[in-house]
């Protein structure tokens, strides 16, 4: 099952290596990672999308992450009300004849064209991963020359709507 | 458990190495295990200038230094401190770092590093210590600024010794240790991401107590966590209150007296039938400070299948890792036992169960064959126990001799058993004995080693001679990598691929070349003549005991089998 896990970490050299090394050593399959600074000086946030077999594996993952001295907080936010975004840039083969056709395809996705050349155009899209996937699927028939995705980054909404039955992995049950 | 401390260190013009030395003294360190080299020259110069402050122990290989530090930590309960140089010095420490990680031993390792300016250029004797040690340390640091050094040292000791103990590496570039730093250094530290839980949740303790009151077949499994937490007395009180049978793990030996009526011995692959059957049959398993290692559990499907499982561990990640837990208790073992001992010990109705375990103890004991002309290794262990009154410190490598020592040297106290459990390191036994002897100069220390493992670190005989330590090395010599041979016999149709060691040094002459008395023992008669006096002699000795090559460790849970499927049980 796919889960979105965030980790607040000290922004020190080697921390990313420590965390990904830990996940690799324990055979967790990482689908994406995005890391960036937060509002607090010296503190970064990592967002992982991981594919775990079951809740036990997930619990082990969060516990192992929590054990790291440089990790301040780990949350599994998959079932919470969250805002999650990914950025992708897609360079599609295109000529002047089909440029407008592509334009019309990307419009409902609120994607933008950020570069155009004679044989290609580059499209930027932000949104949740499903939306990004959908757009890429639509563009694929035209021929994708280059594709870059940032991986998901996410946090919980400001006004947390109480989602029924949030799974808690606390030991205190 | 204070994660914050403040201290201003007044410094005259001093180098980073001096700051390090001051910090070590500040931590109460008086013993160093280390090996000098280019990148740690400034540190060694500072140690030289610090004069009598440290007893520095120089092994003949860095692996010897770190295993000695592990033995020291195990016996003294204080952190072992190791210094190694950059590159090969650091990589020679790796086995010991991984060993300390697996067995949760508090060790602080300082490695030299090439100067900051050339890090990453494949400079002479450079290795990526941070990259190499990240997966095998509790935490590691590379000091980037000289003023960070005192804080980093404090944090390193704090992390290594609190919570679940473990190794911490501090990598120090040469320019950091050699640069003069004149201003005041603030060594306050703050570790918001590191707050081990020490005290148990009262609700969970109550749950465990209630489960105990309902249980018909409760059993306690005691691990090394009890020893680390210094909770042996509390454990004794707990099991006596409730009259509970106690099994121990390999590393938990000594947490509860092996000779006690309630002890059912070691559990696991080569544990006793009684202990394993008790785990298999139990309806409440109380694991205190053990991590459900696969060598203990055997096939997880058959591990305590009928039991409600309570697990006390200071490391939350261990709970539920291998075995599903019904009552999780994140806590220091001693604190949890103290909390449990608060309850009145109502009379429980499990006398029948206790009788069953007692009966099993009598009916299915550990067994072995004694030979007229050959020494059986099990008998050898019993003799070592007898001649040392069962109160010596015993260290071992990994393998058959380790299992025989675990089975036949009954431990009455904690911190007397020093063995490589998790990593299973050949070459651990002898140097760790040296560290154990340094930690407890009055103790009788016996290194029980195999002929294979001893040859991995036997160069430390030189250190033994230099320090005049009365460690006795008992080589259980079967001219084979015994456990490998046993597995090849049992599971590879006797194809002894490279496990029989036909050429060996003359261990007696080897010892003598280091001016250490050596003895070779071939027969039971000779053993009874020689061993008592040698073991009680105040000098070091190497005793080469030739034992039956074909002897196997039994009983055994074969790989993939369950607790109830032991083979080699005498019926």
């Amino acid at each position: 099952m796919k889960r979105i896990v965030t980790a607040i970490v000290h922004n020190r050299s080697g921390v990313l290596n420590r965390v990904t090394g830990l996940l690799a050593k324990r055979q967790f399959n990482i689908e994406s990672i995005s890391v960036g600074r937060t509002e607090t000086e010296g503190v970064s946030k990592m967002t992982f999308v991981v594919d775990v077999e079951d809740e036990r594996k997930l619990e082990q993952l969060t516990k192992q992450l929590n054990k790291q001295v440089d990790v301040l907080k780990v949350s599994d936010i998959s079932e919470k009300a969250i805002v999650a975004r990914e950025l992708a840039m897609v360079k599609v083969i295109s000529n002047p004849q089909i440029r407008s056709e592509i334009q019309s395809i990307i419009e409902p996705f609120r994607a933008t064209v950020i570069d155009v050349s004679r044989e290609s155009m580059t499209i930027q899209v932000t949104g949740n991963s499903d939306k990004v996937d959908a757009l890429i699927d639509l563009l694929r028939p035209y021929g994708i020359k280059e594709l870059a995705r940032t991986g998901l980054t996410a946090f919980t909404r400001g006004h947390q709507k109480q989602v029924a039955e949030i799974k808690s992995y606390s030991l205190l049950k | 458990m204070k994660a914050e401390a403040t201290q201003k260190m007044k410094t005259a013009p001093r180098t980073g190495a001096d700051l390090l030395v001051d910090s070590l003294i500040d931590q109460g360190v008086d013993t160093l295990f280390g090996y000098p080299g280019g990148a740690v020259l400034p540190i060694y110069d500072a140690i030289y200038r610090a004069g009598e402050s440290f007893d520095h122990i120089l092994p003949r290989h860095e692996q010897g230094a770190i295993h000695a530090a592990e033995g020291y930590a195990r016996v003294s309960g204080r952190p072992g401190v190791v210094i190694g140089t950059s590159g090969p010095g650091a990589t020679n420490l790796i086995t010991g770092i991984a060993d300390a990680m697996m067995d949760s031993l508090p060790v602080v390792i300082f490695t030299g590093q090439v100067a900051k300016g050339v890090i990453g250029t494949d400079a002479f004797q450079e290795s990526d210590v941070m990259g190499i040690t990240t997966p095998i340390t509790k935490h590691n640091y590379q000091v980037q600024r000289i003023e960070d050094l005192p804080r980093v040292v404090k944090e390193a000791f704090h992390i290594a010794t609190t919570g679940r103990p473990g190794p911490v590496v501090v990598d120090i570039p040469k320019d950091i240790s050699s640069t003069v730093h004149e201003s005041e250094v603030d060594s306050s530290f703050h570790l918001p991401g590191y707050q081990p839980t020490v005290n148990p949740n009262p609700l969970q303790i109550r749950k465990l107590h209630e489960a105990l009151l309902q249980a018909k077949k409760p059993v306690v499994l005691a691990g090394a966590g009890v020893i680390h937490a210094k909770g042996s007395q509390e454990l004794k009180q707990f099991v006596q209150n409730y009259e509970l049978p106690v099994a121990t793990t390999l590393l938990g030996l000594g947490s509860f007296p092996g000779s006690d009526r309630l002890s059912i011995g070691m559990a696991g692959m080569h544990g006793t039938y009684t202990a394993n059957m008790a785990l298999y049959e139990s309806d409440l398993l109380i694991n205190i400070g053990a991590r459900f290692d696969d060598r203990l559990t055997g096939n997880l499907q058959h591990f305590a299948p009928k039991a409600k499982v309570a697990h006390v561990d200071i490391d939350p990640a261990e709970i539920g890792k291998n075995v599903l837990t019904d009552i999780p208790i994140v806590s220091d073992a001693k604190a949890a036992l103290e909390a449990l001992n608060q309850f009145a010990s109502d009379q429980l109705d499990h006398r029948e169960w206790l009788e069953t375990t007692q009966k099993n103890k009598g009916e299915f004991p550990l067994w072995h064959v004694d030979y007229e002309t050959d020494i059986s290794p099990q008998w050898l262990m019993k003799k070592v126990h007898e001649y040392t009154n069962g109160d010596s410190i015993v260290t071992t490598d990994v393998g058959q001799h380790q299992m025989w020592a675990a089975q036949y040297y009954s431990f009455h106290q904690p911190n007397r058993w020093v063995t490589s459990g998790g990593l299973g390191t050949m070459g651990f036994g002898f140097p760790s004995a040296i560290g154990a002897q340094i930690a407890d100069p009055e103790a009788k220390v016996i290194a029980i080693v195999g002929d294979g493992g001893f040859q991995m670190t036997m160069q430390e005989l030189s250190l033994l001679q230099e320090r005049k330590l009365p460690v006795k090395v008992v080589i259980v010599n079967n001219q084979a990598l015994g456990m490998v041979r046993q597995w090849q016999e049992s599971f590879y149709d006797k194809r002894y691929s490279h496990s029989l060691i036909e050429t060996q040094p003359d261990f007696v002459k080897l010892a003598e070349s280091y001016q250490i008395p050596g003895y070779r023992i071939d027969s039971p008669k000779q053993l009874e003549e020689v061993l008592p006096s040698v073991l009680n002699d105040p000098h070091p000795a190497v005793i080469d005991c030739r034992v039956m090559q074909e002897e196997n460790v039994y009983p055994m849970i074969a790989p993939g089998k369950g607790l109830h499927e032991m083979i080699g049980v005498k019926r």
Side-chain angles (χ1 to χ4, degrees), chain B residues 101-234:
Chain B
M101 184 69 176
M102 290 288 264
D103 289 349
S104 309
L105 293 173
V107 184
V108 181
I109 302 107
F110 295 94
T111 51
Q113 183 54 275
V114 298
K116 268 167 61 188
V118 290
I119 290 178
T121 65
D122 302 321
F124 177 65
Q125 293 196 327
E126 181 187 354
S127 67
D128 175 12
V129 171
M130 294 298 285
I132 296 169
T133 62
T134 294
I136 51 167
T137 48
K138 188 170 171 189
H139 196 53
N140 60 7
Y141 293 91
Q142 186 174 65
V143 182
Q144 297 292 342
R145 301 179 315 162
I146 189 165
E147 54 268 39
D148 290 342
L149 234 175
R151 172 184 59 83
V152 166
V153 174
K154 263 193 183 174
E155 289 185 3
F157 277 86
H158 179 72
I159 293 168
T161 55
T162 55
R164 179 180 182 177
V168 178
V169 165
V170 180
D171 195 39
I172 307 175
K174 189 173 182 181
D175 50 335
I176 297 278
S177 53
S178 58
T179 308
V180 172
H181 186 75
E182 302 201 20
S183 57
E184 227 178 52
V185 178
D186 182 1
S187 69
S188 348
F189 77 88
H190 183 54
L191 292 168
Y194 178 74
Q195 305 286 344
T197 307
V198 178
N199 293 312
N201 178 300
L203 208 80
Q204 297 293 348
I205 291 286
R206 188 171 292 277
K207 261 195 197 172
L208 174 50
H209 175 72
E210 278 158 18
L212 252 172
L213 296 182
Q214 281 158 21
K216 296 272 177 269
K217 299 175 175 181
V219 64
V220 171
L221 177 69
V226 175
I227 301 174
H228 285 297
K230 301 183 174 63
S232 288
Q233 277 311 318
E234 289 73 11

Side-chain angles (χ1 to χ4, degrees), chain A residues 10 12-14 17-19 21 25-26 56 59-60 63-64 66-72 171-173, chain B residues 130 134-135 139-140 159 164 191-194 201 204 315-317 319-325 328 330:
Chain A
H10 281 299
R12 292 192 184 137
S13 73
N17 183 22
R18 198 183 291 283
V19 167
K25 174 185 163 192
R26 306 242 175 215
R56 267 184 83 187
E59 183 179 325
Q60 185 58 208
K63 281 173 166 179
Q64 290 294 344
N66 253 320
K67 257 173 86 166
Q68 296 298 315
V69 173
D70 283 328
V71 173
L72 302 173
L171 292 162
L172 312 177
K173 279 187 194 171
Chain B
M130 294 298 285
T134 294
H139 196 53
N140 60 7
I159 293 168
R164 179 180 182 177
L191 292 168
Y194 178 74
N201 178 300
Q204 297 293 348
D315 179 355
I319 297 176
K321 187 181 80 176
N322 297 334
V323 171
L324 274 175
T325 303
V330 180

